Structures are given as C-alpha cells and as structure tokens.
Amino acid sequence: MTTSAPPTTYRWYVLAVLTVAQTCHGIDRAVIGLVLKPLGMEFNLSGEQLGLLAGIAYGIPFALAAIPFGYAVDRFNRKNLMTFALAAWSGATALCGAATGFWSLLAGRAGVGVAEAGGSPTGMSLLSDYFGTDKRSTAIGIWYLSSGIGFAIAFFVGGWIVEEYGWRWAFIAAGIPGLMLTPILFTTVREPVRGQQDAPQVHCDAGLRVRLAQLFARPGIAYAIAAITCIATGIYGMSIWLATFLIDSHAFSISRSGLIVAIAYGILGSVGGLVAGWGADRINARRGGFDPAHTALLGSIIPLLTAISGLLAVGVENTNLALAFVMAAGFFSASYNGPIYAVIVTVAGPQLRGLAVSFVQMSANLIGVGLGAWLIGKVSDVVGGKDGVAWGIGAAMLFCIAGGLLLVMASRQIKVSNQKGVEYGSASPRAI
C-alpha cells in the first residue's frame, strides 16, 4: 500500500515505530559487550576469541548480506523487508542464550549479523520518503537515538539480568522486544511513494555493478563511507569493551559498569545524537537550505572530539576523572550519525539511497565493527594485565581521528563539485 502525501502526524508515528525497531537492533547487537567477562570465564576464551565473537562473527555476515539487502531496498517493498529483518535478528539473538560453546555462539552472532544488515538501509530509505531535506537530519538524528537507547537498555537492564539470572537470560530478554514489535510494524506502517520528498529523478533500472559505479561517482560518497568505517572502528570497539575496561582497570562490578555504559552511550549518546541532528538542520536553515559540504565539515569535528575524550578516559588513573571523560566520549559517540547520513542519503538520491546506506553498513561492519572489537581484544592479549583493554581502546581511538580527516576531504570534494555545477542527486551526475 502506498500514500502520496503522508500526514504530518503519521510520519512522526512511523519515525517512532522505526526508532523502536532500531532500538531492538541496538540492544541485540550490544548485549554481547556486557557478557564478555562471564562468557570468557565459562567457556575459557581468550581476549582475541571474545573479540571475534563481538566483532568479526557479527561483522562479516552483516557485510556479506548488506549489499543484497540494499539492492532489495531500492526495488522492493521496504515495510515487508523491515518486518522480516526485525523478526529474524530478534529470534537469532534469543537463540544465543542456548549456546553450548564458542562455535554455537559464533553461529548465533552470525545470524544476528545477517538479519541486522537489513535494518539501517530499510529504515533510512523509508524515513527519507517521509521527511524532506528540511527535516531529514533531525529525523535521522531521532532515529539514531535508538543506538543510545539500545545500549542503555542492553547494559543497564542486562547488567541486572546477568547478575541475577546469568548471561543466557540476557540474550533471551534482548530478543523478546523485537519479536513483540514485529506484528505492529507490519500492520501499521505503510509503504510510502519512493522519492516523493525529493526532486524528480530519472528512474535507474541498471544492474548492481552499474548502480555501484553511479553511486561512487557522487561527490564525497567514497570519503564519507571511509570516514564512517573508521569512526565505527573506534566507537563500536570502545563501546563493546568499555564495561570490561571498567571491571579490569577500575574494579567495577558487572552491574555498575553496565550502568556507566548505559548512561554514557545510552542517555548521553542519545542526547548528543539528537542535538547534532537538530543543530545541523538549524544551521543549514539559517544558511538558506541543506548544504552537504558544510554539513560534512560540521560532522568532521565530532569524531575528533570523541577520540580526545576516549584517549583521556583510558589514559588517566583517577577513577572519577576517567568516568567524566567516558561520559564525554559517550555524548559524542552517536552525534555524527544524523548529519553524515543526511549527507549520504541526499547526495546519493532516492534511486541509490538503499544501496548507499547498505554499502556504508557493509564497510562499517566488515572493517569497523569486526576490526574494532578484534583489535582491542588482540591488543589486550599482547599487553596483558589490568590495563590491556585500556591500551586496546586507545589504539582504536586513532581510527576516529582518521574518520574526522576523511570527512574534511568529503566536504572539500562536494564543495568543488558544487562549484562546477554538478547535480549530485540525479540518476547520473551531470552538469546543471
């Protein structure tokens, strides 16, 4: 079912439902970070093996499924795709609670990764057809509140569940909300008219290879994708290992470390993401409309602030000071999402939007999520001792610095392209 002009109240309802769905995505991806310590003890796993479970076991299957999902998002009913993905990743998460060892848990994590590959491209494509460029950064910023909310629920509620009932029930509890939301999403969210919030586009019915070539011909896209990949390496790696860092370096309990991560990456991360998305739209409105070059430049500041905060968090010995920097890192952790994804979906245009987000997600998960969690675990094994994880997080923060520099390059390329009169949202870039 389609609608040509979604009512204002209904589009906000759709945003709310999709945000809750993506919150389930965040819970199911993040819960592994809370149970690394008890998992390692029960199954006698090394830091590298735990890093594989938290990162590569999830990231590689996610990456392999991302492009097929993105191709499907640009061609088929997105509401149906989203419903299927939500049910699949929620069910796979619950099944992780029945794991009997490293390999069965790895298989469960792989199932979560495959299904969650459909979440972001489908949700972002739907939102882009409910919200125009004047509200798109705000809508995506609100939608990305899900990342922080998911972390908060996973680490706050999950910490209590682990201590009271064990790590298996944390996985089972994490999968239940998504299974409950599935019928609501399917029956109440309508499929919008594709591209109704954008300028008229030339329909693109080319094959995947041609569409990828068209996508990477867009100015700034390659730099933006590389930037998000680097940022994900640092931010995801730190978020997954942060509870273990607090346990090892500052002698926190699981429940207390879970509470800290919930506040930093949940509450403060959500506030930071909302403020950045709303702020980008406000600044663009004052400048006469959405400017992807200027928005990318604004976004470049955020990962640099994240890196500084993260390095200080693991570098200071005083616990209270370390917690203050952890909170700062958490605040900035999701702030880049609204502005930078708004740049990507706008520059890509409606015909390539799903493919663009899927490619971002593929790269961010294959390299960023997979490498970030593994890197910290590997460095922890090499360094050893109570500060091994701290050294790993410090190494991961260098990738955030690289991400900020890549966004500066993306901004510059878009600006040069605009000066040459290139219409970046068309089916194939051309001079105006």
Side-chain angles (χ1 to χ4, degrees), residues 21-347:
Q22 197 70 1
T23 298
C24 297
H25 180 298
I27 294 171
D28 295 353
R29 184 173 76 165
V31 68
I32 186 74
L34 183 65
V35 300
L36 290 179
K37 199 71 175 180
L39 273 178
M41 294 174 64
E42 180 168 334
F43 296 142
N44 194 27
L45 302 178
S46 67
E48 184 175 8
Q49 287 178 304
L50 292 172
L52 287 171
L53 288 175
I56 293 176
Y58 172 94
I60 290 180
F62 188 113
L64 292 175
I67 296 300
F69 259 119
Y71 192 67
V73 166
D74 288 331
R75 289 172 173 262
F76 303 115
N77 185 292
R78 294 161 290 178
K79 188 271 296 283
N80 293 342
L81 286 172
M82 188 70 183
T83 301
F84 166 77
L86 174 61
W89 81 59
S90 299
T93 299
L95 287 174
C96 286
T100 58
F102 175 80
W103 293 106
S104 57
L105 188 55
L106 185 146
R109 288 286 293 166
V112 176
V114 169
E116 288 199 344
S120 292
T122 309
M124 207 169 297
S125 180
L126 285 167
L127 288 179
S128 296
D129 284 330
Y130 276 105
F131 293 88
T133 56
D134 61 326
K135 296 291 184 182
R136 194 166 285 165
S137 289
T138 299
I140 294 175
I142 293 173
W143 184 64
Y144 261 109
L145 288 173
S146 59
S147 178
I149 296 171
F151 262 97
I153 295 173
F155 280 84
F156 180 65
V157 179
W160 172 77
I161 291 175
V162 171
E163 289 200 339
E164 292 292 326
Y165 302 103
W167 63 266
R168 296 180 185 277
W169 281 101
F171 279 116
I172 295 170
I176 291 175
L179 294 174
M180 294 177 63
L181 180 65
T182 297
I184 298 174
L185 189 154
F186 182 73
T187 57
T188 65
V189 172
R190 298 193 295 268
E191 177 74 5
V193 175
R194 197 180 299 272
Q196 66 181 350
Q197 298 290 345
D198 296 87
Q201 305 286 313
V202 177
H203 181 65
C204 177
D205 197 29
L208 178 59
R209 185 175 179 180
V210 173
R211 292 167 70 84
L212 282 171
Q214 291 175 341
L215 174 64
F216 282 95
R218 300 286 196 272
I221 286 289
Y223 284 128
I225 291 175
I228 289 181
T229 301
C230 287
I231 296 167
T233 301
I235 289 177
Y236 181 79
M238 181 175 180
S239 67
I240 285 296
W241 283 95
L242 184 56
T244 304
F245 158 73
L246 293 171
I247 293 170
D248 289 349
S249 296
H250 295 280
F252 280 24
S253 66
I254 289 179
S255 59
R256 188 183 179 194
S257 62
L259 176 62
I260 295 301
V261 177
I263 294 172
Y265 280 82
I267 298 173
L268 294 180
S270 298
V271 173
L274 182 60
V275 169
W278 175 81
D281 279 339
R282 291 283 294 175
I283 292 171
N284 280 317
R286 292 178 179 179
R287 290 171 56 90
F290 184 80
D291 181 352
H294 188 256
T295 304
L297 188 60
L298 286 173
S300 70
I301 301 171
I302 298 169
L304 298 177
L305 294 174
T306 304
I308 294 170
S309 301
L311 287 168
L312 290 171
V314 299
V316 299
E317 294 185 3
N318 181 275
T319 297
N320 290 332
L321 197 56
L323 290 180
F325 288 123
V326 164
M327 296 302 170
F331 177 83
F332 295 121
S333 64
S335 299
Y336 72 96
N337 284 314
I340 303 309
Y341 272 106
V343 170
I344 290 172
V345 299
T346 302
V347 172

